[in-house]
Amino acid sequence: MCGIVGYIGNKSAVPILIDGLKRLEYRGYDSAGLAILENGSIMIEKTKGKVQELQELVEESSFSGTAGIAHTRWATHGEPNRKNAHPHLDCNSDIAIVHNGIIENYVALKKYLEDKGHVFKSDTDTEVIAHLIEDDYNGSLFETLAISLAKVEGTYGLAVISKKEPDKIFAARKGSPLIIGKGKKANYIASDVAAILRYTNEIIYLEDGEVAELTCEDISVKSEDNIHVRKKIQQISWSLAMIEKDGFEHFMLKEIHEQKTSLLNTLRGRLNYEEGTARLDGLIKYIEYLKKAQRIILTACGTSWHSALIGEYLIEELAGIPVEVEYASEFRYRSPIINQDDIVFVISQSGETADTLGALHETKRKGGIVLGICNVVGSTIARENNAGVYIHAGPEIGVASTKAFTSQVLVLTMIALMLGRMRNLPLERGREVVKALREIPDLVGEVLKKDEEIKKIADLLAGHNNALYLGRGYNFPVALEGALKLKEISYVHAEGYPAAEMKHGPIALIDTKMPVIVIATKDAIYEKIMSNIAEIKARQGIIVSIITRGDTKIKELSDNYFEVPSTPNFISPIINTIPLQLLAYYVAVKRGCHVDQPRNLAKSVTVE
Ligand code: M6R
């Protein structure tokens, strides 16, 4: 989704802004632009295309100003074209603004401003803010921003410059992520730490309602109530290398291959064999609530929602607590019942997903306890929950979530184990689980070594425009996740089903052209899934199976197969997901798709 970068310092702003935008490209966008304070004027360049095109445009213009703001836009209001690309200006081109979020009352504000003579040039909601500031300006943009933004309903993360105050840049935030980076004789604004990590790892997180004024030397922040706030500077532990491709063709492939390490990081220091349990420090404050929880609600979107479905199986099996899984977007709007003894977990890689944040707010509004499972440290969900667990998967840049998913599932397994051990799970069983969890990184490593085998299967599937994914038990959500990965990055229509559901409808789709990917590793319902495969075979469907190493029965029924090591069933979702991620990746590459930035998708979906 949209990205923001701002810079003020003693170097030319353009290369810094362009570099920042390039690092935000992964978020998904359809146009880009920047504004530079240049010899007392504001200079603008915009394009409907890629940041590379913007770079070519600004190189021609040879701007040398040392302060500016830049943006990648993912269209909401107004089609993606040059006119609607940010930055937007007021009537006199005194003020330039870039904005993430949605101004909900922009129609009323636009009418009010037009009646006063303001002339609008774009179809965006954002432009009203530039005119509102122009209208309210009292000689101090720092003060005016607060006055103008008080009239705005909706969400914003924004950066502003004004030719009347050329030694400053400004930022404000409400409901859309925005951070400030503190550099040496330079300061930065960004919607995502990746944009400025090259220059600083000293970060200030703006809270909702805060407005900031940045000069080369200083950063001043005021709260919504117009009171100066002393902000804490936090050190980010992510390195630049972590957000680069490191020789891989795509971030997605790099991130798939990082899973041995990312899973190790997720586990690090959290398992206790002696006591047969997991220790999750982030939840300690809520241990008493967790001990007596009567019901757990897991809520999330997309891939994170699939991890929640696996979480349901895990918690019910290991801890015996009833679990409900909800799409965050539905949960927030359907008057959910949250009892005193319920615990709500919100799961989000980015920690910025608007729907998931909405579910968090709804839970809090109802007086419930909300615990987070996030990857991005300092993200909004991570800061607004009552307590939480970081998955420590490291930065995930590819739009298709891969390593975050397996780490989410691993954290949910540890939560299930911890809850189980606080209840009736016997010590010996707890120890078995700990032992199995410790083996995961090596098992994942084994699967990743066979990447070439998946590539061959992908070559065979790449010409098909549909696919079914089937699994049962723990592997039903894996089937959903496999199908989502294929859809997202290769634009092949794919559906995931519980294997036994196939005969209730989808079986009508099976013919000689329908590939069916079956997750059929050995577990208690292995024989049942074999019958489901036989049903596909009888109708000449193309069977690709994920099987336990050495399984000859399903191998014989399959057109293609991929062997994974034998694991306990509660570990199998993590292991079985890896070949499906690789399959989606190689099909997408073979079809010539833009793997890291699939069409219409954004890395963090910060609008409803
Ligand atoms: O950052 P989140 O985990 O909250 O994101 C939720 C979904 O938007 C996300 O998982 C999406 O489905 C991905 N594109 C999946 O690959």
Side-chain angles (χ1 to χ4, degrees):
M1 213 133 273
C2 310
I4 289 177
V5 199
Y7 169 77
I8 184 153
N10 51 17
K11 297 199 175 115
S12 171
V14 166
I16 295 166
L17 295 176
I18 293 287
D19 177 64
L21 289 187
K22 283 190 173 167
R23 293 187 187 276
L24 294 181
E25 282 190 299
Y26 78 95
R27 294 170 66 105
Y29 70 105
D30 38 48
S31 52
L34 57 71
I36 303 288
L37 283 161
E38 184 93 0
N39 304 322
S41 300
I42 292 181
M43 307 307 290
I44 300 263
E45 282 295 357
K46 308 189 205 186
T47 173
K48 178 178 182 255
K50 293 279 169 195
V51 175
Q52 183 57 37
E53 288 165 41
L54 181 68
Q55 181 172 13
E56 284 157 21
L57 284 173
V58 281
E59 272 166 10
E60 277 170 31
S61 317
S62 60
F63 300 146
S64 58
T66 59
I69 54 177
H71 192 255
T72 45
R73 173 173 187 252
W74 189 86
T76 57
H77 294 61
E79 55 176 274
N81 55 26
R82 190 183 179 281
K83 176 181 76 171
N84 291 330
H86 299 207
H88 291 287
L89 296 165
D90 65 324
C91 296
N92 296 318
S93 303
D94 285 345
I95 296 157
I97 175 167
V98 294
H99 163 232
N100 292 354
I102 290 179
I103 307 303
E104 284 163 7
N105 60 340
Y106 88 100
V107 175
L109 288 173
K110 190 169 177 180
K111 164 117 190 27
Y112 160 79
L113 290 159
E114 278 176 337
D115 287 350
K116 293 181 89 178
H118 290 264
V119 179
F120 282 74
K121 298 180 199 78
S122 76
D123 311 316
T124 64
D125 53 339
T126 300
E127 196 185 341
V128 295
I129 308 177
H131 293 278
L132 208 51
I133 296 171
E134 177 183 28
D135 212 64
D136 290 331
Y137 190 64
N138 67 2
S140 158
L141 191 47
F142 199 16
E143 280 177 22
T144 307
L145 254 183
I147 296 166
S148 298
L149 291 173
K151 299 174 187 168
V152 163
E153 285 164 24
T155 55
Y156 52 80
L158 50 91
V160 191
I161 53 172
S162 165
K163 69 181 186 194
K164 293 186 178 161
E165 299 181 50
D167 302 327
K168 296 168 184 168
I169 60 173
F170 301 86
R173 169 205 162 132
K174 189 173 192 177
S176 259
L178 204 68
I179 56 168
I180 291 174
K182 187 170 164 28
K184 290 196 181 72
K185 293 198 175 11
N187 288 310
Y188 306 81
I189 299 169
S191 51
D192 181 327
V193 72
I196 56 174
L197 197 56
R198 179 170 180 185
Y199 308 103
T200 180
N201 63 355
E202 297 200 337
I203 301 297
I204 293 171
Y205 291 97
L206 284 186
E207 299 296 335
D208 274 353
E210 287 180 344
V211 177
E213 179 186 83
L214 287 71
T215 64
C216 296
E217 304 283 351
D218 292 317
I219 299 165
S220 312
V221 179
K222 277 200 263 183
S223 70
E224 205 163 11
D225 314 322
N226 210 20
I227 295 167
H228 276 278
V229 192
R230 272 177 75 93
K231 297 292 290 184
K232 199 169 145 205
I233 297 177
Q234 306 201 21
Q235 302 281 336
I236 296 294
S237 60
W238 289 358
S239 68
L240 196 59
M242 287 165 97
I243 58 165
E244 290 182 338
K245 281 193 203 146
D246 199 20
F248 284 89
E249 200 180 337
H250 296 102
F251 280 113
M252 181 178 176
L253 188 61
K254 176 188 174 222
E255 286 157 9
I256 292 173
H257 277 274
E258 274 172 353
Q259 286 175 105
K260 181 175 175 183
T261 310
S262 55
L263 289 163
L264 206 58
N265 289 337
T266 307
L267 285 178
R268 200 176 299 284
R270 287 171 161 172
L271 293 179
N272 178 337
Y273 181 77
E274 283 311 302
E275 291 176 26
T277 191
R279 182 191 160 98
L280 297 162
D281 287 344
L283 300 182
I284 277 176
K285 263 190 350 202
Y286 284 86
I287 284 293
E288 291 309 316
Y289 291 90
L290 286 163
K291 273 186 188 160
K292 57 180 202 292
Q294 293 299 306
R295 183 175 67 143
I296 287 181
I297 299 170
L298 304 175
T299 181
C301 302
T303 286
S304 298
W305 183 75
H306 295 155
S307 79
L309 290 177
I310 298 169
E312 178 180 15
Y313 285 88
L314 288 162
I315 295 170
E316 292 195 346
E317 179 177 334
L318 297 175
I321 307 172
V323 177
E324 280 176 31
V325 179
E326 293 263 9
Y327 280 116
S329 53
E330 291 298 314
F331 180 78
R332 62 185 299 197
Y333 288 120
R334 64 156 193 84
S335 302
I337 295 164
I338 301 167
N339 300 315
Q340 243 190 338
D341 293 332
D342 290 345
I343 300 267
V344 177
F345 277 92
V346 288
I347 309 171
S348 173
Q349 185 285 130
S350 61
E352 303 294 351
T353 301
D355 288 321
T356 313
L357 192 56
L360 179 152
H361 290 153
E362 179 62 10
T363 307
K364 281 192 159 178
R365 200 178 65 76
K366 294 210 153 147
I369 291 166
V370 58
L371 305 177
I373 299 176
C374 289
N375 190 32
V376 178
V377 175
S379 57
T380 309
I381 292 176
R383 285 179 297 129
E384 290 199 16
N385 57 34
N386 292 110
V389 187
Y390 282 119
I391 62 172
H392 297 309
E396 190 179 70
I397 307 288
V399 164
S401 186
T402 52
K403 61 177 181 170
F405 173 75
T406 48
S407 286
Q408 286 166 340
V409 175
L410 189 49
V411 161
L412 285 160
T413 317
M414 287 191 276
I415 290 173
L417 171 64
M418 186 185 81
L419 293 174
R421 289 288 296 128
M422 289 184 321
R423 293 170 187 235
N424 297 324
L425 194 76
L427 175 63
E428 274 318 304
R429 176 79 175 122
R431 285 182 172 166
E432 277 167 29
V433 175
V434 169
K435 197 164 162 288
L437 290 177
R438 284 194 174 142
E439 284 168 7
I440 290 176
D442 284 339
L443 294 174
V444 165
E446 269 184 51
V447 174
L448 287 168
K449 276 191 200 141
K450 300 200 300 175
D451 168 304
E452 281 299 316
E453 286 182 32
I454 290 286
K455 206 170 180 172
K456 286 189 194 130
I457 300 176
D459 286 347
L460 299 170
L461 293 188
H464 294 267
N465 289 323
N466 295 289
L468 283 178
Y469 283 71
L470 305 179
R472 298 188 74 151
Y474 278 102
N475 286 303
F476 157 52
V478 174
L480 294 179
E481 175 58 10
L484 179 66
K485 285 288 89 83
L486 191 71
K487 275 189 266 217
E488 283 188 296
I489 57 166
S490 68
Y491 319 139
V492 171
H493 173 238
E495 297 296 338
Y497 277 99
E501 272 296 304
M502 194 191 54
K503 58 185 176 294
H504 298 289
I507 199 162
L509 296 168
I510 308 284
D511 63 12
T512 53
K513 294 193 188 71
M514 176 61 87
V516 187
I517 294 96
V518 195
I519 303 115
T521 45
K522 283 202 171 148
D523 59 17
I525 42 177
Y526 169 78
E527 297 294 335
K528 305 270 176 209
I529 206 154
M530 209 152 70
S531 313
N532 301 138
I533 294 176
E535 288 157 13
I536 306 164
K537 186 83 182 163
R539 287 157 185 86
Q540 283 99 46
I542 307 161
I543 299 166
V544 176
S545 58
I546 309 293
I547 56 172
T548 303
R549 189 184 298 145
D551 175 353
T552 48
K553 286 188 194 162
I554 296 188
K555 196 187 281 185
E556 276 165 23
L557 289 172
S558 306
D559 297 283
N560 279 285
Y561 62 88
F562 182 83
E563 289 183 320
V564 293
S566 170
T567 58
N569 60 349
F570 63 89
I571 300 295
S572 67
I574 295 178
I575 309 302
N576 295 347
T577 297
I578 312 285
L580 301 186
Q581 294 171 343
L582 286 167
L583 186 65
Y585 172 78
Y586 285 119
V587 168
V589 170
K590 186 88 184 160
R591 290 169 71 95
C593 300
H594 209 323
V595 174
D596 283 332
Q597 290 155 41
R599 70 180 178 212
N600 305 335
L601 291 181
K603 182 63 183 164
S604 51
V605 183
T606 50
V607 293
E608 278 190 51

